[in-house]
């Protein structure tokens, strides 16, 4: 049986551009285990795609998916712009963030990085004795071309944790490296989200300077809907 040959590169895998040779998009269609590990995407979320996110009619999900598509196709990434998904637990924020990471790899060959915020802080705290491992983790997070910080602000932060997050966010802000954030609490408004027990804001938890920077570089997209955990549509 004849194999399907990419119509863009004729199966070669490379395309000649004015500024050199680049890898064809067909080479990014399948994500290998190595790439999953480099992106640090947890196994639970490896099957999450923008294409299998099921929108709820009354939750405004179609608009969110449209804004995500616009973001991926624009040059906002190169300007250090990101997205801030905010909403109650279980509505699909992590699903969307992982889908974005995967599409950036498939369409642009960009290997981003995913971290649950609490897991990142735990890893750093356990290795933060001046060892090279802690420095390597921080360097990886700061230098990643696209960073997902999942579940930011879900718990009260110690001074140490706040300083670490400040370091990461400020350095990425200064270097114009984009961040995709998911959170259960609002960034600045003080508004309480439906079904959320947390009443304060990221501004209160992390300070006005950080909230101001995130407001500047991230488009805030409220994610509403039913709690999908426990069903086939988990966050």
């Amino acid at each position: 049986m004849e194999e399907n040959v990419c119509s863009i590169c004729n199966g070669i895998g490379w395309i000649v551009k004015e500024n050199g040779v680049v890898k064809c998009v067909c080479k990014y269609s399948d994500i290998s285990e190595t790439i999953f590990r480099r992106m640090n995407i947890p196994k639970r979320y490896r099957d999450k795609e923008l294409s299998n996110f099921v929108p709820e009619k009354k939750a405004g999900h179609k608009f969110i998916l449209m804004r995500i598509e616009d973001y991926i196709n624009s040059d906002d990434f190169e300007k250090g712009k990101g997205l801030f998904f905010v909403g109650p637990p279980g509505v699909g924020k992590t699903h969307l963030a992982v889908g974005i990471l995967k599409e950036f790899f498939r369409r642009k060959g960009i290997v981003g990085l995913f971290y649950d915020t609490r897991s990142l802080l735990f890893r750093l705290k356990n290795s933060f004795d001046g060892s090279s491992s802690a420095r390597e983790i921080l360097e990886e997070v700061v230098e990643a071309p696209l960073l997902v910080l999942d579940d930011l602000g879900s718990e009260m932060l110690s001074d140490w944790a706040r300083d670490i997050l400040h370091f990461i966010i400020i350095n990425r802000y200064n270097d114009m490296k984009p961040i995709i954030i998911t959170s259960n609490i609002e960034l600045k408004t003080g508004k309480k989200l439906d079904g959320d027990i947390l009443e304060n804001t990221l501004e209160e938890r992390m300070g006005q300077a950080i909230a101001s920077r995130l407001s500047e570089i991230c488009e805030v997209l409220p994610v509403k809907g039913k709690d999908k955990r426990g069903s086939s549509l988990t966050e």
Side-chain angles (χ1 to χ4, degrees), residues 55-71:
E56 295 179 36
K57 292 182 179 179
K58 297 182 180 180
H61 290 164
K62 287 187 177 180
F63 172 78
I64 292 172
L65 290 170
M66 180 189 71
R67 293 300 303 134
I68 289 172
E69 191 68 20
D70 289 344
Y71 174 74

Side-chain angles (χ1 to χ4, degrees), residues 47-59:
D47 65 337
K48 304 307 179 190
E49 306 277 354
L50 295 179
S51 60
N52 63 23
F53 181 88
V54 181
E56 295 179 36
K57 292 182 179 179
K58 297 182 180 180

Side-chain angles (χ1 to χ4, degrees), residues 187-204:
L187 181 56
K188 295 182 69 174
T189 65
K191 177 183 176 183
K192 183 178 178 180
L193 293 164
D194 293 339
D196 192 0
I197 62 172
L198 299 174
E199 296 186 16
N200 62 343
T201 65
L202 275 177
E203 183 175 26
E204 293 171 331

Side-chain angles (χ1 to χ4, degrees), residues 51-117:
S51 60
N52 63 23
F53 181 88
V54 181
E56 295 179 36
K57 292 182 179 179
K58 297 182 180 180
H61 290 164
K62 287 187 177 180
F63 172 78
I64 292 172
L65 290 170
M66 180 189 71
R67 293 300 303 134
I68 289 172
E69 191 68 20
D70 289 344
Y71 174 74
I72 295 172
N73 293 327
S74 72
D75 61 353
D76 286 349
F77 164 85
E78 298 173 0
K79 298 176 182 178
K81 300 291 186 180
L83 300 172
F84 186 104
F85 296 110
V86 57
V91 294
K93 302 185 301 295
T94 305
H95 185 147
L96 294 170
V98 169
I100 292 170
L101 274 184
K102 293 166 80 172
E103 287 306 307
F104 263 90
F105 174 74
R106 289 193 178 108
R107 301 187 200 185
K108 302 184 179 184
I110 293 170
V111 181
L113 183 65
F114 177 98
Y115 258 111
D116 172 82
T117 304

Side-chain angles (χ1 to χ4, degrees), residues 4 32 133 137 153-154 161 164 170 177-178 198 206 212 217 223 230-231:
N4 292 326
S32 67
S133 60
I137 294 170
S154 61
I164 290 294
I170 289 174
K177 293 183 181 296
L198 299 174
M206 301 185 67
S212 176
I217 62 175
V223 185
S231 73

Side-chain angles (χ1 to χ4, degrees), residues 3-15 24-27:
E3 295 183 0
N4 292 326
V5 177
C6 176
S7 60
I8 301 174
C9 67
N10 293 320
I12 298 174
W14 299 90
I15 303 172
C24 180
V25 68
C26 70
K27 291 300 181 182

